[in-house]
Amino acid sequence: MLQSVVEVARAIFGAAASSVLLLDEETDELVFRAVSGEGQEFLVGRRFPAGRGIAGWVATSGEPMVVDDLSTDPSFDRSLAESTEYVPDSLMAAPLISDSRVLGVLEVLDASPQARSNVRELDLLAMFARQAAAALRVITPEPVAATSAGRALEGAEREDALRLLGSLEQVLRGTA
């Protein structure tokens, strides 16, 4: 399900990459759980401290953020980006929030120019992140730790999650 979320987000925003990072509360780290585009071959499972970079700020604050020019933004952790082997020029990020709890962060890297610094687009990303968090809560009702969120869905759970994701994709594309 998380892989579908990042693929849909990447397509909607015309981005070079998209990722879902889940918060592992036990270790206070963000963990790449799904990646589409740049880095998808090797980033899943990578961890970094939850307080670092823009994703860390979004996870801590619970607020979405867009940065059009990362080269001038002091909250951008260039060394962290370089360690992922992909340094974006721009970034949009929204928290995955369910029941007033931040579960993680949805990031969109190097979105198409028309999606940048547009409040409507950031609102769309935030709405998409809220729906993804709700779907994540449906399929993993116990507290979401990065270790449990990667489990495979089976049977009716899988069908429900895919149906929810399909509906979400239609809403976001404006075809519902």
Side-chain angles (χ1 to χ4, degrees):
M1 183 199 76
L2 293 177
Q3 189 61 39
S4 295
V5 167
V6 294
E7 288 171 5
V8 170
R10 183 173 168 223
I12 288 171
F13 295 100
S18 180
S19 58
V20 166
L21 301 104
L22 294 182
L23 182 61
D24 184 334
E25 292 175 341
E26 291 177 17
T27 62
D28 195 31
E29 294 175 314
L30 286 170
V31 183
F32 282 95
R33 279 295 169 209
V35 178
S36 177
E38 296 290 334
Q40 69 185 19
E41 305 83 25
F42 57 86
L43 279 177
V44 173
R46 280 216 43 201
R47 299 169 164 266
F48 64 91
R52 284 185 66 186
I54 292 174
W57 184 88
V58 169
T60 302
S61 70
E63 295 293 326
M65 183 176 194
V66 61
V67 180
D68 282 332
D69 184 2
L70 291 169
S71 67
T72 62
D73 191 280
S75 59
F76 179 60
D77 189 334
R78 181 162 296 280
S79 65
L80 181 62
E82 288 170 350
S83 77
T84 69
E85 299 181 31
Y86 179 65
V87 180
D89 295 320
S90 67
L91 182 146
M92 297 170 65
L96 298 168
I97 299 175
S98 180
D99 297 330
S100 301
R101 238 175 102 228
V102 175
L103 306 176
V105 176
L106 171 62
E107 286 187 326
V108 175
L109 308 173
D110 290 329
S112 66
Q114 60 269 30
R116 300 179 191 173
S117 280
N118 182 325
V119 172
R120 184 172 170 268
E121 296 295 320
L122 188 57
D123 286 345
L124 178 62
L125 181 66
M127 182 185 80
F128 189 42
R130 282 192 304 275
Q131 295 301 318
L136 189 57
R137 272 294 211 207
V138 166
I139 61 170
T140 55
E142 68 279 353
V144 177
T147 54
S148 66
R151 71 177 176 83
L153 299 178
E154 296 177 5
E157 253 187 355
R158 180 174 174 74
E159 291 173 25
D160 289 345
L162 291 173
R163 197 170 20 262
L164 180 58
L165 189 59
S167 298
L168 176 60
E169 182 177 8
Q170 287 179 344
V171 167
L172 292 173
R173 290 184 187 270
T175 58

